[in-house]
Amino acid sequence: MALKKITVKASRGYDILIGGGLLDNAAEHMKRAVKAKNFAVITDDHVAPLYGDKLADSLKSAGFSVCQKVFPHGEASKSSYTLNAIYDFLSENSVTRSDCVLALGGGVVGDIAGFAAATYQRGIDYIQIPTSLLAQVDSSVGGKTAIDLPSGKNLVGAFWQPRLVLIDTNTLDTLPEEFFIDGLGEVIKYGMIKSKSLFELLERHDSLGIRGVLEDVIYECVSIKAAVVEADEFDSGERMLLNFGHTLGHAIEKMTNYTGISHGRAISVGMRMITKAAENSALTAKGLTNRLTACLERYGLNAEVAFTPYELAKAALNDKKRMGEMIHIIVCKDAGKSEVIKMSTNEFILLLS
Amino acid sequence: MALKKITVKASRGYDILIGGGLLDNAAEHMKRAVKAKNFAVITDDHVAPLYGDKLADSLKSAGFSVCQKVFPHGEASKSSYTLNAIYDFLSENSVTRSDCVLALGGGVVGDIAGFAAATYQRGIDYIQIPTSLLAQVDSSVGGKTAIDLPSGKNLVGAFWQPRLVLIDTNTLDTLPEEFFIDGLGEVIKYGMIKSKSLFELLERHDSLGIRGVLEDVIYECVSIKAAVVEADEFDSGERMLLNFGHTLGHAIEKMTNYTGISHGRAISVGMRMITKAAENSALTAKGLTNRLTACLERYGLNAEVAFTPYELAKAALNDKKRMGEMIHIIVCKDAGKSEVIKMSTNEFILLLS
C-alpha cells in the first residue's frame, strides 16, 4: 500500500497520511499520534454503516475502548443543536481531557466534531478521518472548526489543529458521484490559486479520467493547503487565498438557504464571477475566465444561479469576511497565481456591477 | 486616582489595570488595548443598571459605537441557551472580527462572554471588566472561558486571553455583602497556595477590616494568578494549584444543583476537607487545618454541608479533573506552600475516607 505523508508545522504540528486502505490499520497510525486510551467516534448516518464498524473494530482489537455518536447527515446538522447532543454524549461517556475524538465523515462531521473537540473541557485531542473529496482536500486540514448559526455559515468556531489527518482514498469509492463532483470545485480552486500544473492537469481530464490520478491530485491540494496554513494559521493574510470564490459562493449558499446548491457548485459560480469581474477590470490575464469556465464545464460544475453578481456582492457584505469597512477579495492574476486585494465595500460592489 | 498595573505574558500578552474609578475613563484604556471601533457589551440584569450606561457613555463620547446584551443574572444563565442568544445578538448587530466584546459583570458574565468571544467568528477580541470580588481576583484573569452543561460546570469552554482586564475596585461598593464574602473564599485560597503574608494578613482582619486594604489584596491575588498563568497557560501543571479546594468544592456545587451553596462557600468547605485529610495523612503541617478553619470563620465562610468527604470524593470522580485513572490533587504543606500530588482514584477515595 502506497502511503504519502505531509507534515504540517502549525502551533501544534501533525501529520497528514494519504493512501488507499489506511482505515484498515487505523489504530496503528493513531497510536503514534496520540496517547489516548479511549476514542469517541463522531460520524453521520451515511458514513457510520460504511466505515464506523471497521474503524471501531480496528481500535478495539488494538485494545482501545470506543464509543460512537451518529447524527443525521447534511448541513442542517452543523448546528448548536447537534453540538449540544455531542457534548452530552461525550459527558455521558465520561470522555476526559486525555481521550480523543475521531471525526469520521465529510466536511460537516469534521467541522462540528472538530469544534466539539476544541471546546469540550476546553479542548481535547481529535483526529480527522475525512471520507469525502471535499473534506480530504480542504476542510480536514488546517484546524478550522465551526458550526452554523441561523444567520450564517461557520459563524461560530475555533482554530484547533487535529493530531493527525488520515485520508483513506478508498472511501471515495462509496462517495456518490454528485459529492465527488462537488469536491472537484475545491480542487480546481487549488489549481487556480497556487498550482498552474494542477490546473493544466485538470484541463486535460474529466471527472472520470481524474480518478486515475486521484492520489496525486489529493496530495497536491493538501500540500498547498498545508503550506498556506503554516504561513498563516489564524487566517489574517496568506490563508485568505483559500477563500477564492468563497465570498460570492457563500452568498449563493446563504440566499438559497443552503439547500439550493452544493458548496462546490456555489464556489464554482463564485470563482467564475469574480474572475470575470477581475478580467473586466484588467486585474486578471485576458482569457482566464474562458479557461476557468471551460475547465469547470469538464467536471459538470457549470451551474447557473438566479442572482446577479451585484446582488451577491450586496449579500456577501453581511458575511463574516467583511472586516469593518474594508474587505479582502481574492483574485487570480493567472492560473496558479492569486493575490489578496483589500478594497472598500463600495469598490467591491462597483467591481461586481 | 491610584492605578496599579500587572502585565500578563501569555500567548497573547495583556495588561490588568486595578484602581478605584477606572470605569470613568474606560474608553481611554480600551483605545490603548484594542483597535476596535465597535464594542458589544455583554452583561446581566444586576450589573446593567449600575454600570452599563456609564460604560456605554464613556465609549460613545470617545466616538465608538456600542451595543448591549443583557441576560438574567445567576449561574443558570451560563448555559448553551444564553450562549446562543449572545451569538444571535452579535450576528444581528453585525459584529465582525475587528470588533470587541466587553464582559461587564461577575464570573458568570466573564466566563460566557469570554467563551462567546473565543468562538464567535472563530475568535474576536474581548476585554474583562469584572465587577465582583470573585471575578476581580480570579475568573477575569487567565483566559479560561466556559459554559456549563446539564451534567457539570465549565464542561465546555476555551482558553482565550482577553486584551485587557479593567478592575474598577469602586464597583465592589455596590456588591451585596454575601457576594463579597463569597469572593473572599478565593482570596483565602491564594494565601494558602502561594502567599504566607497574604494569609497572615487575612488572619488579622475580618470582612469589614479587609475593605481598608482591598486594593492591595486584589493586587496580590492577581499577581499570583498572573504568574501561575504565565507558567502554565493551558492548565497542565502549575496552574492546577489554583484548583485547591475546587475538586471537592465543585462536587458540592454539583450535588446541590448549583443552588444550595455559593462557589466561595463550596470551595471553602473543599479547602478545609482536603487540608484535614492531608493533615491526617501527614502531608500537611500540623495545625494548618485549625488555622484555615479559624481564618474562614473570621469571614463567615464556615459553612457545613450534608455530605461526607467520602461521598464528595466519589462524586468528584465524575468531574472533568479525572485524568484517565490518575488524578491531580492540590494540597498545602503549609500556609503559602502548595503542591500538585498525582494519585490514583483509589488513593484519592482512601485519603478522604
Side-chain angles (χ1 to χ4, degrees):
Chain A
M1 173 179 73
L3 171 70
K4 292 186 165 74
K5 183 165 112 171
I6 295 165
T7 301
V8 184
K9 294 175 210 77
S11 55
R12 312 194 309 183
Y14 56 98
D15 288 339
I16 303 163
L17 304 180
I18 303 168
L22 278 181
L23 262 181
D24 301 331
N25 305 302
E28 215 175 280
H29 300 297
M30 285 166 195
K31 245 185 228 172
R32 261 177 248 131
V34 294
K35 285 182 207 151
K37 296 272 176 293
N38 309 305
F39 290 90
V41 179
I42 313 290
T43 188
D44 70 25
D45 59 1
H46 266 176
V47 177
L50 292 169
Y51 304 109
D53 286 349
K54 194 176 198 171
L55 178 60
D57 289 348
S58 167
L59 289 166
K60 282 176 192 162
S61 23
F64 296 115
S65 77
V66 187
C67 56
Q68 182 176 274
K69 170 75 183 170
V70 181
F71 58 79
H73 67 277
E75 185 77 28
S77 282
K78 219 172 105 177
S79 64
S80 61
Y81 178 84
T82 310
L83 180 68
N84 281 318
I86 294 172
Y87 288 147
D88 289 341
F89 166 80
L90 296 174
S91 178
E92 279 157 20
N93 285 276
S94 301
V95 172
T96 74
R97 284 171 76 174
S98 46
D99 298 331
C100 181
V101 163
L102 302 181
L104 174 70
V108 168
V109 169
D111 279 7
I112 194 168
F115 185 57
T119 52
Y120 179 72
Q121 300 200 358
R122 295 200 187 90
I124 69 173
D125 286 348
Y126 78 114
I127 288 173
Q128 290 278 16
I129 311 175
T131 60
S132 74
L133 181 58
L134 182 76
Q136 292 186 351
V137 297
D138 190 38
S139 57
S140 69
V141 176
K144 271 197 184 180
T145 69
I147 59 167
D148 302 332
L149 290 186
S151 53
K153 233 179 131 166
N154 298 326
L155 280 183
V156 165
F159 292 93
W160 190 246
Q161 301 297 333
R163 292 296 186 182
L164 173 71
V165 182
L166 206 68
I167 300 178
D168 183 344
T169 49
N170 286 358
T171 60
L172 300 181
D173 297 344
T174 55
L175 187 70
E177 182 70 6
E178 59 172 305
F179 291 107
F180 183 72
I181 295 293
D182 198 46
L184 287 169
E186 294 282 358
V187 172
I188 292 170
K189 179 195 79 177
Y190 283 109
M192 282 289 284
I193 63 167
K194 281 281 183 184
S195 174
K196 194 180 171 194
S197 62
L198 173 61
F199 189 76
E200 288 174 351
L201 181 127
L202 290 161
E203 281 182 311
R204 289 196 302 274
H205 284 282
D206 57 21
S207 62
L208 196 65
I210 202 75
R211 286 187 182 265
V213 288
L214 208 46
E215 247 176 63
D216 292 328
V217 166
I218 292 172
Y219 181 81
E220 175 73 3
C221 293
V222 172
S223 299
I224 294 172
K225 175 111 190 205
V228 169
V229 168
E230 281 177 9
D232 174 29
E233 183 174 353
F234 299 109
D235 200 10
S236 55
E238 171 94 356
R239 190 162 179 166
M240 291 182 199
L241 296 179
L242 299 170
N243 288 333
F244 176 57
H246 281 58
T247 301
L248 297 175
H250 284 160
I252 294 169
E253 290 180 280
K254 194 173 169 181
M255 289 172 83
T256 54
N257 294 316
Y258 304 105
T259 52
I261 186 168
S262 70
H263 180 69
R265 288 189 163 77
I267 66 153
S268 294
V269 175
M271 290 193 285
R272 217 175 55 210
M273 281 184 176
I274 194 70
T275 301
K276 190 176 178 190
E279 193 175 331
N280 286 343
S281 296
L283 295 168
T284 280
K286 272 242 166 302
L288 187 62
T289 311
N290 283 343
R291 270 182 81 186
L292 173 61
T293 305
C295 185
L296 290 168
E297 274 174 5
R298 296 182 79 85
Y299 297 93
L301 285 164
N302 49 332
E304 294 291 335
V305 293
F307 311 106
T308 65
Y310 173 81
E311 287 166 338
L312 294 173
K314 293 285 267 185
L317 295 180
N318 285 320
D319 190 90
K320 74 173 147 66
K321 283 169 200 76
R322 198 203 65 167
M323 309 275 286
E325 293 307 307
M326 296 296 283
I327 56 171
H328 297 88
I329 297 301
I330 320 306
V331 299
C332 289
K333 299 168 79 159
D334 207 341
K337 281 176 78 176
S338 54
E339 60 179 357
V340 179
I341 298 182
K342 205 172 170 182
M343 59 177 76
S344 69
T345 51
N346 285 339
E347 288 171 309
F348 177 60
I349 297 282
L350 260 173
L351 182 71
L352 274 298
S353 296
Chain B
M1 173 180 73
L3 172 69
K4 292 186 165 74
K5 184 165 111 173
I6 295 165
T7 301
V8 185
K9 295 177 210 74
S11 54
R12 311 194 311 183
Y14 57 97
D15 289 338
I16 303 164
L17 304 180
I18 304 168
L22 278 181
L23 262 182
D24 301 332
N25 305 302
E28 216 175 278
H29 300 297
M30 287 167 192
K31 245 184 227 171
R32 260 178 249 131
V34 294
K35 285 183 205 153
K37 297 273 177 292
N38 309 305
F39 289 90
V41 179
I42 313 291
T43 188
D44 70 26
D45 58 1
H46 267 175
V47 177
L50 293 169
Y51 303 109
D53 287 349
K54 194 176 196 170
L55 178 60
D57 288 348
S58 167
L59 289 166
K60 282 177 192 162
S61 23
F64 296 116
S65 76
V66 187
C67 56
Q68 182 176 274
K69 169 75 184 171
V70 181
F71 59 78
H73 65 276
E75 184 78 28
S77 283
K78 220 172 105 176
S79 63
S80 61
Y81 178 84
T82 310
L83 180 68
N84 281 320
I86 294 173
Y87 288 148
D88 289 342
F89 167 80
L90 295 174
S91 179
E92 279 157 20
N93 284 277
S94 301
V95 171
T96 73
R97 284 170 77 173
S98 47
D99 298 331
C100 182
V101 163
L102 302 181
L104 174 70
V108 168
V109 168
D111 279 8
I112 194 169
F115 185 56
T119 51
Y120 179 71
Q121 300 200 357
R122 295 201 186 90
I124 69 172
D125 285 348
Y126 78 113
I127 289 173
Q128 290 278 16
I129 310 175
T131 59
S132 73
L133 182 57
L134 183 76
Q136 291 186 352
V137 298
D138 190 37
S139 57
S140 69
V141 176
K144 271 197 184 180
T145 69
I147 59 167
D148 302 332
L149 290 186
S151 53
K153 233 179 131 167
N154 297 325
L155 280 184
V156 166
F159 292 94
W160 191 246
Q161 301 298 332
R163 291 296 186 183
L164 173 71
V165 181
L166 207 67
I167 300 179
D168 184 343
T169 49
N170 287 357
T171 60
L172 300 181
D173 297 344
T174 55
L175 186 70
E177 182 70 6
E178 59 171 305
F179 291 106
F180 183 72
I181 297 292
D182 198 47
L184 287 169
E186 294 282 358
V187 172
I188 292 170
K189 179 196 79 178
Y190 283 109
M192 282 288 284
I193 63 168
K194 279 284 183 183
S195 173
K196 193 179 171 197
S197 63
L198 173 61
F199 188 76
E200 288 174 352
L201 181 128
L202 290 162
E203 281 182 311
R204 289 195 303 273
H205 284 283
D206 58 20
S207 62
L208 197 64
I210 202 75
R211 286 186 182 265
V213 289
L214 208 46
E215 247 176 62
D216 292 328
V217 166
I218 292 171
Y219 181 82
E220 176 73 2
C221 293
V222 172
S223 299
I224 294 171
K225 176 110 189 206
V228 170
V229 168
E230 281 177 9
D232 175 28
E233 182 175 353
F234 299 109
D235 200 10
S236 55
E238 172 93 357
R239 190 163 179 166
M240 292 183 199
L241 296 179
L242 300 170
N243 288 333
F244 177 56
H246 281 58
T247 302
L248 297 176
H250 284 160
I252 294 170
E253 291 181 279
K254 193 173 169 181
M255 288 172 83
T256 54
N257 293 315
Y258 304 106
T259 53
I261 187 168
S262 69
H263 180 71
R265 287 188 164 79
I267 65 153
S268 294
V269 176
M271 289 193 286
R272 216 176 55 212
M273 282 184 175
I274 193 72
T275 301
K276 190 176 178 188
E279 193 175 332
N280 286 343
S281 296
L283 295 166
T284 280
K286 273 244 168 296
L288 187 62
T289 311
N290 283 343
R291 270 181 81 185
L292 173 61
T293 304
C295 185
L296 290 168
E297 274 175 6
R298 296 182 77 85
Y299 298 93
L301 286 164
N302 49 333
E304 295 291 335
V305 295
F307 312 106
T308 65
Y310 173 81
E311 286 166 339
L312 293 173
K314 292 286 267 186
L317 294 180
N318 284 321
D319 190 271
K320 73 175 148 74
K321 283 168 200 76
R322 199 203 65 165
M323 307 275 287
E325 293 307 306
M326 296 297 282
I327 57 170
H328 297 88
I329 297 301
I330 320 306
V331 299
C332 289
K333 299 169 79 160
D334 207 343
K337 281 175 79 175
S338 55
E339 59 179 357
V340 179
I341 299 183
K342 205 172 169 182
M343 59 177 76
S344 70
T345 51
N346 285 340
E347 289 170 309
F348 176 60
I349 297 280
L350 261 173
L351 182 71
L352 274 298
S353 296

